[in-house]
Amino acid sequence: MTQVIANRGDDWPTIWEASRAKLCRDLGTAVFNAWLGKLILLSWQNGEIRFGAPKPFVRNWIQNNYSSRLEKALRAEGGNPKSISIVVAEKDAPVIGGGLAHEPAAAEPPRANVTEFRKPAAKADENRPGAAQPVLFRAPDPTHTFAGFITGTANALAVKAAKNIAEGDADEVRVLYIHGTFGLGKTHLLNAIVLACRQRGLRALVLGAEDFMRQFLGALNRRETLSFKEELRAADVLLIDDLQHLCRSTTSISELLHTLNAYSDFRRKLVIAADRPPAALEGVGADVRSRLSGGLVVGLEKPERATRLEILKARAQEYAKKNPQIAIPGEALDRLADLEDATPRDLIGLFNNLTLHAELTKNPAALHIAVENIVKRGKVVKKTSIEDIQKKIADFYKLDPRDFQSQQRSRRVARPRQVAMFLAREITARSLPEIGRRFGGRDHTTVLHACRRIAALCTEDPSFKEEIDFLKRILGMEK
């Protein structure tokens, strides 16, 4: 049976008493008495509700852990606050109703600054020396929407997961982790989530990992980490881009773990993008990997030809609207779509190059030659990552790539692992210690031994050498 709450108007003392009872039922008596039970209603002027907490620690804990519950309880009991704030105030602080404009002259002002649950308006003294610095979030690009993201087989799961987060259809998912190499559309998806969330009235904030690290360390030096954390955790959805860059700072990774835990406790959403899966992140502990892997982890792959062609056609349509006098032939788009290793970012760059030639030449014959030259330049040598090597070697030997991270020593796993290490040393510019870290944190001497062993087997066993040569061709080392 649904309980209908009567409209209590501005009777905030009654609303607060009913909200207290609801919070006590929802949280349990012990938790309620320890935290929210300590709040007192100080004022309710023009819908701006102010509560008093006995100590700064209590105020900060409620802000960080129970802000959304407090606001929901007030609304559930018929309140419609424009803003909610908590200050440090004694239990005998003067109470101000909607009809009073000022506190009595003898009253002491509450200690500590107001902490708003919603984004506060800019203060006039923000630029004064010593003032707390706000966290600078990225402004979303209005053109990077879900409608402008071309979906195909290689990215369908990631797009679906991102839309579910943005539309509020994934209540059970607290962390969405999107990974893939550069240029596949991770940042576009994060931007689209922000735009969709804001249309629903949610506070969605996106922050690059470099920005996260720089601003947190700055707040640490200014001794303003509490303000940094409060602003960071006030969002309904927090998005962090290029997480791999954050792994260089142990302090920042520690703060990230606290943020992960906080968002899980608040039942809020955290979306993270990186160029590799959680298990392959360097410089992070097992606790962070476990937290990230415990969410929904989805990968972005390079698009298949049909998707590459759709990306180019979408660009051509946009270009035709702005430049109707210049024709881009469909054959040119087909030739560009044939580039198998091209990422969406690569395709956009090649298309921009094509349109520049079209604007300069205005000659179909010359444009055809330009297309061929662009295609040749587009066929650059593929930069193979250690993750690519692990995946393809695992596929060849019918293993799971995670076997290379394990401590298994059976010949079935050990020899393919040595092959993958050998090819990682041959193909990439990574150092021995870094290769070892990518293979389950092994020592550089283990990698060196593997390389020497595989090289010796190639000399001793012609059939094994043929196997290695075949793997090199798969990885693009040889033609």
Side-chain angles (χ1 to χ4, degrees), residues 347-417:
L347 293 172
I348 292 171
L350 294 171
F351 178 80
N352 292 338
N353 202 331
L354 176 64
T355 57
L356 179 61
H357 279 83
E359 292 171 9
L360 293 176
T361 62
K362 297 183 175 60
N363 183 334
L367 183 60
H368 175 75
I369 297 174
V371 169
E372 294 304 318
N373 290 333
I374 291 172
V375 168
K376 288 179 181 178
R377 289 198 299 272
K379 294 180 179 179
V380 295
V381 177
K382 180 182 176 183
K383 291 184 178 180
T384 306
S385 68
I386 294 178
E387 288 74 22
D388 292 332
I389 294 171
Q390 290 175 333
K391 185 177 184 300
K392 291 188 177 182
I393 300 304
D395 288 343
F396 179 79
Y397 288 105
K398 309 302 182 186
L399 298 173
D400 188 315
R402 288 174 294 185
D403 291 337
F404 294 149
Q405 311 286 334
S406 71
Q407 299 303 315
Q408 294 187 54
R409 295 185 179 182
S410 65
R411 183 180 178 86
R412 174 179 171 272
V413 174
R415 181 54 52 79
R417 183 192 292 130

Side-chain angles (χ1 to χ4, degrees), residues 14 48 95 102 122 149 214 240 276 292 297 310 327 332 344 364 396 443:
T14 303
E48 297 178 357
V95 177
H102 304 284
F149 192 94
R214 183 175 61 255
I240 299 177
R276 65 201 67 173
L292 295 175
V297 180
E310 285 301 313
F396 179 79
D443 188 80

